Amino acid sequence: MTLKKLKATDRMKQIMGGYYMMGEQAEVNGWITSGAPVELLYAMDIYPVYPENHGALIGAAKQGPHFSDFAEKMGFSRDLCSYARCDIGCVFAGTSPVGGLPEPTFLFACNNICNTVIKWYQVLSRIFKVPLFILDTPFIRKDLKESYIRYVHDQLYEFVDFLEKTTGRELSDLKLKETLIKSVQGVNGYSEVLKMAKNKPSPLTCFDAFLNMAPIVCLRGTDYPIEFYAEMKKELVERVERGEGAVENEEVRLLWDNIPVWYRLRWLAEFFADRNACLVADTYTNAWTGFISMDKSDVFWSMAETYTFSYLNIGIEHTAEAINRLIDYYDVDGVVIHSNRSCKPYSFGQYELQKMIDVPSVVIEADMVDSRVFSEAQVETRLEAFLEMLK
Amino acid sequence: MNVGYLCTYTPKELVYAAGFTPVRIFAGDEHISLATAHIQSYACSQARGSFERALKGELDVQAVVFTRCCDTLMRLADIWERNTDMKVYNLEFPSRIDEKSRDYYFRELQDFANTLKEWGGDVTDESLRESLKLYWELEEKLKKLFEVKPDYEAAKKVQEMNVRDAIEFVDSRLKKVEKSGKGPKVLITGSVCPFLEVYKLFEEAGFILKDDICTGTRFFTFNTPLKEIESVEDGLSFLVEKYFNKAPCPTKHFPNDDRFKYILELAEDCDGVVFLLLKFCEPHFYDYPQLKEKLEEMGKKVLLLELEFPISSYEQLRTRIEAFYEVLA
């Protein structure tokens, strides 16, 4: 079985190659977490470095255990997040699949994805001896309280001061508004791409979404995602017009939960395709579509709201609601849940979610980057049984 | 009503002032089985073990308060709420401890007081004044007791009782306590360890103990002297001050790496440092390599002991602790 490739993926590789090159030339850069408001950096022409994207790249290159080992030798436990371990490992190794990341001018961690990033970035700040800014977003278990938004809102202003002091540059309101507009456009374009999976058969799988998500994460607020996702959508529309599915004979439609198993992306894609099952959507890439409700009268307030109510920073009732929305929209038959050893906030609660969502689900135990914990036989047996049951 | 909590950043003074009894929840001695259907095995055994006790009906608590201290407890709140009859509340303690988060924490305390009211407990000027005074007394007495000789049994017990009984209990221990003998001094640092046998192993090996443990001195080490309060608001401001100046925990972000400084200072008069860490406890394990390096630069010997609750082999622990004693003695 050969997988159908999207032409867009080649273009994405070009764009991301350019993105990493830009990093080598950038005068100032900030290392930033995936859920943080990057728009403020782009608005000040500060290059954002994404250690998480770098971690994913290491995983996809099947280099996870190799680079993690450098960190483990320094005493970092194997139970820590594998993105963190690999990135820290690369710092000690002095290299990586992309030749290592440029040294940071400053560090910027937002805990709307996990509290782990606070610890990880503290470690980095001790290694590089550069300033660290923590954007603290309270967890919204039930209601989004005004006091939460106020707290985050005030920190955003403080962060602008931090940026201006650290880089000697000034933030222009106009440039910020332009960046935010581009961000919204990029997110909408990306959202439209993902929504193409509503078609039957679906012209894309979540594996296509994973492979092509880097621009919306790393280049959000620039022109690249706007152009790229428009192009990608065109390709998908063509597929739909031809009645062509990403998977031949799509019989079962599935939803993926959690970060991908990067080192097994291809294996999993083939596994499902061979069995006429299409993973049409996932909770991970969709996390970058729900946000940005931009009220232009107070962009800082909007940003605070958007970045606090993020997918991994909400209670289980909100999460179940979001998953059920996806199940309904994409007309999904079942959910494949990745219990990811590296990501506690994403994984704990999954057993409860199984009882709260509208379709059957299966849990597979793995890790996003550390292939040493992956048991092929076990995963295969579980998935086989699940698909059997759905058919 | 008894109100349970797991984290020492829980403002138990408010709970008591509302007329409820705050009770700390610890993992139990029994093998974890029921909890495995609700939370993965890579959650720490403090979380799984405490929840296990709730599922087994062993806890005499009617409500539980969570704080956002780590990703595991953040998620455990929902899991707990869905599988027990207890009321569950999450107080979002800020992860940043600095000037900017004070007002926010004050508002969180106000919201918490309102919830306590909904639960049928009223915090008044008088009740809060009384509660602050009682906890201050308890903390001072525990400090005094630990200065003579650390008493982990007392520390554990008082966390499970009414504060008035706790004060009496510490009084009775103060009457009996004798100064520890001579021996190499060791600082034990880590998250929680309610298993008293572990401390005994250190004492039996010949160590003099000092600790930075969440079930030990971090429970009662606050650095804000008691102040007379005029109003509830005044009392809440005092609590902001008190909890912001508490012995630091690695789940928080302090300006200027305050926790590292705190540990290095504690270690100054010790011969060695033992990291008593709970498997899967991310906040502590991130700090460990760099903190260890700094301690070794100070000339301290360092030992890492990784635990899972319930502790399966004390003999294995004993061997390692005795070997460490040989290194230091």
Side-chain angles (χ1 to χ4, degrees):
Chain A
M1 163 102 218
T2 47
L3 292 170
K4 286 184 195 167
K5 229 182 111 187
L6 285 167
K7 285 193 295 267
T9 304
D10 291 329
R11 174 74 188 125
M12 184 278 300
K13 281 181 185 155
Q14 268 177 7
I15 292 174
M16 289 312 289
Y19 161 81
Y20 275 105
M21 294 255 291
M22 247 154 61
E24 283 165 35
Q25 290 144 15
E27 233 175 274
V28 290
N29 78 63
W31 286 26
I32 179 172
T33 56
S34 64
V38 66
E39 292 83 359
L40 290 166
L41 272 65
Y42 276 124
M44 290 172 77
D45 292 316
I46 298 166
Y47 178 80
V49 175
Y50 279 91
E52 286 160 73
N53 178 260
H54 188 236
L57 196 143
I58 292 165
K62 300 186 177 23
Q63 300 271 301
H66 172 71
F67 286 108
S68 177
D69 202 42
F70 284 93
E72 286 166 36
K73 281 202 181 101
M74 300 301 289
F76 291 93
S77 163
R78 220 190 237 208
D79 296 324
L80 297 176
C81 158
S82 52
Y83 278 171
R85 262 185 288 139
C86 286
D87 273 315
I88 294 168
C90 287
V91 174
F92 292 130
T95 186
S96 84
V98 291
L101 295 174
E103 282 204 17
T105 315
F106 66 88
L107 301 159
F108 177 33
C110 176
N111 62 347
N112 62 353
I113 50 166
C114 61
N115 260 14
T116 294
V117 293
I118 296 184
K119 300 310 295 179
W120 172 5
Y121 278 58
Q122 283 173 349
V123 168
L124 293 172
S125 77
R126 290 184 200 110
I127 294 176
F128 292 114
K129 300 186 170 56
V130 294
L132 161 63
F133 190 93
I134 300 280
L135 179 63
D136 183 18
T137 51
F139 174 54
I140 307 160
R141 198 168 76 88
K142 302 276 185 189
D143 303 320
L144 174 54
K145 296 197 271 186
E146 206 216 310
S147 62
Y148 291 0
I149 307 173
R150 164 83 45 208
Y151 176 43
V152 176
H153 170 267
D154 292 354
Q155 289 177 76
L156 287 174
Y157 275 103
E158 188 197 356
F159 179 55
V160 172
D161 288 343
F162 168 93
L163 286 177
E164 291 184 338
K165 218 160 81 193
T166 311
T167 65
R169 298 177 183 180
E170 224 175 285
L171 175 69
S172 117
D173 286 348
L174 186 68
K175 189 81 192 290
L176 177 60
K177 280 201 176 146
E178 278 172 14
T179 310
L180 285 166
I181 289 168
K182 284 183 188 172
S183 177
V184 174
Q185 286 173 342
V187 166
N188 289 344
Y190 179 63
S191 191
E192 280 178 36
V193 161
L194 296 183
K195 282 182 176 158
M196 291 302 292
K198 190 176 170 60
N199 288 285
K200 288 181 183 176
S202 167
L204 84 160
T205 67
C206 74
F207 302 104
D208 298 315
F210 294 152
L211 283 173
N212 293 294
M213 72 185 289
I216 198 61
V217 179
C218 304
L219 290 155
R220 191 173 67 250
T222 71
D223 291 321
Y224 292 101
I226 306 172
E227 286 159 17
F228 171 68
Y229 291 113
E231 208 177 297
M232 185 170 171
K233 188 184 169 193
K234 224 171 104 199
E235 194 183 350
L236 295 170
V237 169
E238 283 166 15
R239 271 195 183 176
V240 172
E241 282 167 358
R242 288 195 303 269
E244 188 186 329
V247 166
E248 304 252 2
N249 311 315
E250 176 190 295
E251 286 176 41
V252 178
R253 293 167 66 86
L254 301 169
L255 179 79
W256 174 273
D257 180 51
N258 212 308
I259 301 173
V261 183
W262 290 111
Y263 49 91
R264 286 290 178 143
L265 220 48
R266 201 191 166 79
W267 183 84
L268 283 162
E270 285 176 355
F271 181 93
F272 286 104
D274 280 343
R275 287 156 184 81
N276 300 337
C278 182
L279 279 147
V280 295
D282 67 278
T283 57
Y284 188 50
T285 56
N286 266 286
W288 275 269
T289 63
F291 69 77
I292 305 271
S293 54
M294 217 36 83
D295 172 4
K296 290 185 190 72
S297 62
D298 190 346
V299 291
F300 279 82
W301 193 265
S302 298
M303 270 196 284
E305 217 168 27
T306 298
Y307 281 100
T308 307
F309 199 89
S310 78
Y311 186 72
L312 288 181
N313 203 41
I314 53 179
I316 201 162
E317 284 157 21
H318 296 298
T319 312
E321 206 184 297
I323 295 179
N324 281 332
R325 255 201 319 268
L326 291 175
I327 289 171
D328 182 53
Y329 186 82
Y330 291 105
D331 195 17
V332 157
D333 307 303
V335 183
V336 178
I337 296 177
H338 169 205
S339 163
N340 179 359
R341 262 178 85 90
S342 271
C343 194
K344 294 180 168 79
Y346 213 147
S347 302
F348 295 165
Q350 283 175 329
Y351 297 169
E352 295 308 311
L353 281 169
Q354 285 193 284
K355 297 174 232 165
M356 301 165 79
I357 58 180
D358 300 334
V359 293
S361 58
V362 64
V363 174
I364 55 170
E365 298 288 337
D367 183 278
M368 58 204 185
V369 167
D370 196 338
S371 53
R372 294 169 296 190
V373 305
F374 187 83
S375 159
E376 185 174 307
Q378 215 173 66
V379 171
E380 213 169 41
T381 318
R382 286 234 166 159
L383 292 177
E384 289 276 17
F386 183 61
L387 289 176
E388 204 53 48
M389 186 203 70
L390 287 182
K391 280 181 186 171
Chain B
M1 182 164 83
N2 291 336
V3 177
Y5 67 96
L6 289 103
C7 165
T8 48
Y9 278 92
T10 312
K12 50 200 181 311
E13 297 86 345
L14 261 188
V15 175
Y16 186 76
F20 306 129
T21 306
V23 177
R24 186 101 184 256
I25 300 172
F26 302 119
D29 291 319
E30 278 173 56
H31 179 72
I32 297 164
S33 61
L34 297 179
T36 52
H38 301 279
I39 189 163
Q40 285 94 328
S41 59
Y42 48 93
C44 75
S45 46
Q46 157 72 358
R48 282 184 295 127
S50 301
F51 185 48
E52 177 79 12
R53 291 184 64 206
L55 292 174
K56 279 198 178 132
E58 284 177 26
L59 301 176
D60 179 22
V61 300
Q62 291 71 46
V64 183
V65 178
F66 287 88
T67 55
R68 185 194 191 148
C69 36
C70 63
D71 294 329
T72 303
L73 289 189
M74 175 182 108
R75 286 292 175 214
L76 188 62
D78 277 326
I79 300 175
W80 199 294
E81 185 174 62
R82 290 181 53 80
N83 293 285
T84 69
D85 296 330
M86 300 171 201
K87 294 182 184 38
V88 170
Y89 186 77
N90 61 307
L91 188 150
E92 290 304 294
F93 201 96
S95 294
R96 275 178 63 163
I97 310 287
D98 54 38
E99 283 307 316
K100 296 278 175 186
S101 47
R102 276 171 193 266
D103 288 349
Y104 161 73
Y105 180 48
F106 180 82
R107 287 194 297 268
E108 273 299 278
L109 288 175
Q110 277 181 322
D111 290 349
F112 184 43
N114 287 334
T115 299
L116 290 167
K117 199 166 189 172
E118 283 166 26
W119 290 355
D122 208 3
V123 179
T124 64
D125 300 352
E126 193 44 52
S127 73
L128 187 54
R129 190 178 297 130
E130 178 72 7
S131 175
L132 293 178
K133 209 180 283 173
L134 287 168
Y135 276 99
W136 161 260
E137 200 180 331
L138 175 65
E139 287 146 13
E140 287 303 299
K141 287 189 167 162
L142 279 165
K143 266 183 226 164
K144 211 180 272 172
L145 179 63
F146 269 63
E147 265 161 33
V148 186
K149 189 177 183 235
D151 184 341
Y152 294 97
E153 193 187 353
K156 183 184 176 185
K157 278 194 170 158
V158 298
Q159 297 182 49
E160 295 177 303
M161 340 172 148
N162 179 300
V163 62
R164 286 181 193 276
D165 299 336
I167 292 169
E168 250 177 61
F169 182 78
V170 178
D171 275 336
S172 71
R173 301 293 268 217
L174 271 166
K175 275 180 204 143
K176 283 187 280 188
V177 65
E178 281 172 43
K179 215 167 164 46
S180 13
K182 284 212 171 348
K185 195 168 184 180
V186 72
L187 172 70
I188 307 177
T189 176
S191 46
V192 292
C193 181
F195 293 85
L196 305 174
E197 295 86 338
V198 176
Y199 307 102
K200 261 184 221 135
L201 290 178
F202 280 99
E203 282 165 357
E204 282 164 14
F207 282 114
I208 306 298
L209 297 186
K210 187 171 177 180
D211 81 89
D212 162 57
I213 294 282
C214 191
T215 42
T217 61
R218 280 218 304 281
F219 169 72
F220 58 83
T221 306
F222 295 88
N223 302 295
T224 307
L226 183 66
K227 213 179 70 187
E228 269 298 316
I229 58 158
E230 305 288 328
S231 61
V232 171
E233 300 256 303
D234 216 12
L236 298 185
S237 298
F238 174 79
L239 284 174
V240 172
E241 194 68 25
K242 178 170 175 176
Y243 280 86
F244 269 42
N245 290 318
K246 177 189 178 311
C249 158
T251 60
K252 306 285 176 280
H253 179 69
F254 299 92
N256 311 315
D257 227 352
D258 291 347
R259 174 168 190 260
F260 269 34
K261 283 181 195 149
Y262 175 77
I263 301 293
L264 297 180
E265 236 167 72
L266 281 182
E268 257 168 25
D269 68 342
C270 294
D271 302 294
V273 178
V274 175
F275 285 83
L276 192 67
L277 305 190
L278 196 54
K279 190 168 169 67
F280 301 117
C281 178
E282 287 211 337
H284 277 279
F285 272 106
Y286 272 104
D287 278 0
Y288 165 69
Q290 291 173 322
L291 190 51
K292 172 181 181 254
E293 195 185 320
K294 290 229 149 57
L295 287 161
E296 284 174 344
E297 278 167 17
M298 277 169 74
K300 306 295 172 194
K301 295 274 186 240
V302 173
L303 172 70
L304 169 65
L305 293 177
E306 190 173 285
L307 300 180
E308 275 212 274
F309 303 152
I311 292 162
S312 56
S313 170
Y314 283 104
E315 282 319 301
Q316 232 169 45
L317 272 182
R318 183 194 298 278
T319 311
R320 298 201 53 201
I321 291 167
E322 284 175 353
F324 192 54
Y325 181 86
E326 293 304 317
V327 173
L328 292 186

